[in-house]
């Protein structure tokens, strides 16, 4: 084990956007059994500390690889591109217009006749857009078109935030 390896290598998965989530879960469980700090309770303090570091690296890696957005950002990070910071790169104006319309639609939902149905419809639309962007990211990343892959990730970030806002509104409607 080496925590200097990237998450894919550490967990034993190929470096790719498309990963088998069942295999990720299986590999995670196997590694947890091996690395869990309780297994090192009778070892030296140094070995216990290393076990804790391995578990933290494993947990962070699993969380990153489970999430399509975090996985895409991580793949770009491995290529030296940080998409977690503000960018001066302009975003497609048509995409921004679409985002404004989706947010206006979200704001109007509480006043609609059936807000839950409206929320579900909006969530399906946003999830459909996210699926398209994830596939766009996978194709452009694998083709080594990192500018297009980065643009796809930035759009995914907008839509992931919108999904959170939809979920917050649903919680608010639930009382």
């Amino acid at each position: 084990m080496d925590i200097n390896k990237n998450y894919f290598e550490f967990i034993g998965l190929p470096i790719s956007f498309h990963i088998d989530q069942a295999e990720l879960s299986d590999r995670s469980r196997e590694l947890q059994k091996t690395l869990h700090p309780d297994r090192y309770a009778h070892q030296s303090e140094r070995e216990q500390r290393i076990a804790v570091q391995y578990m933290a690296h494993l947990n962070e890696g699993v969380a990153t690889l489970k999430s399509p957005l975090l996985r895409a950002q991580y793949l770009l990070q491995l290529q030296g591109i940080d998409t977690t910071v503000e960018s001066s790169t302009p975003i497609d104006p048509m995409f921004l217009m679409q985002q404004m319309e989706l947010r206006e639609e979200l704001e109007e939902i509480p006043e609609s006749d059936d807000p839950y149905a409206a929320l579900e419809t909006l969530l399906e639309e946003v999830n459909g857009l996210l699926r398209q962007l994830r596939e766009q990211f996978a194709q452009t990343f694998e083709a080594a078109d990192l500018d297009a892959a980065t643009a796809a990730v930035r759009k995914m970030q907008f839509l992931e935030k919108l999904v959170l806002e939809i979920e917050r509104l649903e919680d608010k409607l639930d009382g």
Side-chain angles (χ1 to χ4, degrees):
M1 290 276 113
D2 181 1
I3 60 172
N4 292 318
K5 288 182 175 179
N6 69 53
Y7 296 141
F8 294 98
E9 294 168 342
F10 185 78
I11 295 170
L13 295 172
I15 298 174
S16 171
F17 182 69
H18 292 296
I19 61 170
D20 183 338
Q21 291 294 320
E23 187 178 356
L24 173 61
S25 293
D26 291 345
R27 293 287 306 142
S28 171
R29 273 193 297 275
E30 290 171 25
L31 289 169
Q32 285 174 356
K33 289 177 189 170
T34 306
L35 301 174
H36 198 281
D38 288 349
R39 292 185 53 120
Y40 298 86
H42 301 294
Q43 303 294 322
S44 71
E45 190 173 309
R46 180 180 180 277
E47 288 170 307
Q48 291 176 26
R49 191 176 56 250
I50 290 171
V52 169
Q53 288 174 339
Y54 282 155
M55 269 313 277
H57 191 67
L58 174 62
N59 290 337
E60 191 174 318
V62 169
T64 298
L65 299 185
K66 265 188 180 175
S67 161
L69 175 59
L70 295 178
R71 187 169 59 248
Q73 289 175 317
Y74 186 66
L75 284 166
L76 289 174
Q77 183 185 340
L78 292 175
Q79 299 298 316
I81 300 168
D82 185 357
T83 59
T84 61
V85 294
E86 285 292 319
S87 169
S88 59
T89 307
I91 300 235
D92 174 12
M94 293 299 289
F95 177 79
L96 290 177
M97 180 62 78
Q98 179 188 46
Q99 292 308 298
M100 288 173 44
E101 290 171 0
L102 290 170
R103 290 183 186 285
E104 285 175 13
E105 192 176 330
L106 179 63
E107 287 176 14
E108 294 169 1
I109 283 178
E111 279 75 42
S112 68
D113 292 337
D114 188 350
Y116 290 103
L119 269 179
E120 189 170 322
T121 301
L122 181 60
L123 186 58
E124 285 175 19
E125 181 179 353
V126 173
N127 281 331
L129 294 169
L130 271 170
R131 279 192 295 277
Q132 291 173 7
L133 285 170
R134 289 172 186 154
E135 191 54 41
Q136 180 183 348
F137 172 82
Q139 290 173 0
T140 55
F141 184 78
E142 288 181 19
D145 185 351
L146 299 180
D147 288 340
T150 301
V153 165
R154 294 207 185 278
K155 290 177 181 177
M156 288 164 59
Q157 290 171 311
F158 273 93
L159 291 174
E160 292 278 351
K161 285 180 187 171
L162 185 56
V163 168
L164 291 175
E165 290 174 27
I166 291 169
E167 291 171 352
R168 270 190 231 124
L169 180 56
E170 186 174 15
D171 289 344
K172 189 176 175 183
L173 290 173
D174 287 340

